[in-house]
Amino acid sequence: KTPKFRRVWGGVQSNTGPNFGGWLLRILNGDGNFACGAAYYAPILVITSANCIYPYRNSLEGATVEGTAFSECDRENIADIDTIKFPEKFVYQKLYMDVAVVRLMEPIKGRLTEFIRLCTVKVQPKMEMVVFGWGFDSAEVQIPSSDPRNATVTIMSPKECRKKFKRNLKLSSTSVCARQPRNPRQCLYDGGSPLIYERELCGVVSFGSHCQDTSRPGMFTNIRRVQRFITEIEAEINAGDMGRSTRVAKKVTRKPNKKYNATSTRVKIKRLYRSGSVDPLEC
């Protein structure tokens, strides 16, 4: 119940530990495998690509959203998916309105969990932005990493973008093109993964490109052009006008991150409690 503005990401300089921020998320399907990248916008709202999450819309049983910033005090930072909202005019495998709002059954826990602001700047050619990902959509280039990575991309003009695609892809008014890194191993194009400018979410990885040929621009959904859809969903939920699914949230029992041994940490904390050297309320 913490107000959203109190846990808004303050930029890279505000990060605690080796992570990109508590707003960067990944969506896992019912089998526990990577499905899409995502950004944490509000306590029970996550933003991703509609094209990426659409194939999973009818199989949400066991599907979860997981944070990427871990604290030694956290036992879990994962939440079950309740429902997914798509824009009315979205068409699968088309670029227009390629955004989805994922509603969680409960907020993602974690001391490092935080939210990201929506873009307030006009996206223009030659702007440099940062994209995040794991490499799951470019496994032909290199093995996907267990931890997220980032790369810098440069925004292209619509005219230059159309020239690169040579009529093979029709641009939309809600899309933006970015020049990919020349080295395919530096390219990141996981569906739904965030594109940020400074400390704001300005795009999500869309549809129609890949890292095997980095001469093709990366296609992203321009968050400013779809912001009204996102904020309307938020307003409906806050007003209680949007019902939940009939599924019941299950206790998550996924194995903890390899770099973080949850069991040994809990035992260590318990020993400190007994010795009186740690206040249980602090951790």
Side-chain angles (χ1 to χ4, degrees):
K1 295 184 179 180
T2 301
K4 186 171 66 173
F5 72 88
R6 290 188 180 178
R7 298 199 75 165
V8 172
W9 185 51
V12 175
Q13 69 279 1
S14 70
N15 289 349
T16 301
N19 62 77
F20 293 122
W23 58 272
L24 179 60
L25 310 174
R26 61 179 182 178
I27 299 174
L28 309 177
N29 63 21
D31 297 327
N33 297 318
F34 180 89
C36 307
Y40 206 5
Y41 168 64
I44 58 171
L45 297 181
V46 171
I47 298 173
T48 188
S49 157
N51 272 306
C52 183
I53 199 71
Y54 189 80
Y56 305 97
R57 69 195 185 284
N58 295 323
S59 55
L60 296 179
E61 191 70 36
T64 57
V65 178
E66 182 181 49
T68 60
F70 299 91
S71 164
E72 291 185 354
C73 296
D74 300 333
R75 296 189 178 184
E76 63 180 41
N77 64 341
I78 196 166
D80 290 280
I81 293 177
D82 183 65
T83 52
I84 304 173
K85 298 298 179 181
F86 300 94
E88 289 185 5
K89 295 185 178 181
F90 165 71
V91 177
Y92 183 50
Q93 294 189 343
K94 298 293 184 181
L95 294 174
Y96 185 65
M97 294 300 290
D98 181 14
V99 65
V101 175
V102 177
R103 182 179 183 175
L104 306 177
M105 287 193 175
E106 59 184 12
I108 298 174
K109 300 177 182 179
R111 292 199 165 203
L112 302 184
T113 301
E114 52 200 344
F115 312 114
I116 191 167
R117 296 178 177 88
L118 299 184
C119 198
T120 59
V121 299
K122 183 179 180 181
V123 179
Q124 298 180 335
K126 297 184 180 181
M127 290 178 69
E128 288 192 345
M129 297 192 178
V130 179
V131 63
F132 298 82
W134 291 259
F136 285 97
D137 283 9
S138 54
E140 300 85 356
V141 177
Q142 63 178 324
I143 298 174
S145 59
S146 57
D147 295 320
R149 296 180 284 125
N150 65 355
T152 300
V153 296
T154 305
I155 302 301
M156 301 170 62
S157 68
K159 182 178 180 180
E160 184 182 5
C161 187
R162 291 189 184 95
K163 186 177 179 181
K164 289 286 184 179
F165 277 107
K166 300 178 181 179
R167 299 182 181 181
N168 292 329
L169 188 68
K170 185 177 180 180
L171 302 185
S172 82
S173 59
T174 62
S175 300
V176 63
C177 294
R179 186 177 294 106
Q180 302 278 33
R182 290 186 178 181
N183 185 347
R185 297 178 67 86
Q186 295 178 348
C187 172
L188 294 171
Y189 202 72
D190 292 324
S193 291
L195 177 73
I196 69 165
Y197 181 73
E198 294 183 348
R199 56 179 182 176
E200 297 180 341
L201 178 68
C202 289
V204 294
V205 173
S206 184
F207 169 81
S209 191
H210 50 75
C211 289
Q212 292 172 280
D213 181 7
T214 56
S215 65
R216 293 166 61 96
M219 301 302 302
F220 299 83
T221 299
N222 188 335
I223 289 296
R224 282 197 72 187
R225 298 289 181 88
V226 299
Q227 184 169 341
R228 182 175 178 180
F229 166 74
I230 297 170
T231 55
E232 284 181 351
I233 294 294
E234 182 181 23
E236 287 181 28
I237 290 177
N238 289 340
D241 296 334
M242 187 175 295
R244 287 181 171 274
S245 71
T246 56
R247 292 181 296 111
V248 178
K250 294 182 178 180
K251 181 65 177 177
V252 177
T253 57
R254 298 200 193 286
K255 295 180 179 179
N257 188 288
K258 292 182 179 179
K259 294 184 178 181
Y260 164 49
N261 190 325
T263 303
S264 62
T265 303
R266 286 198 293 270
V267 171
K268 182 179 180 181
I269 291 173
K270 286 180 180 178
R271 289 173 180 168
L272 291 171
Y273 288 166
R274 291 169 185 169
S275 66
S277 59
V278 171
D279 182 351
L281 297 178
E282 292 183 355
C283 188

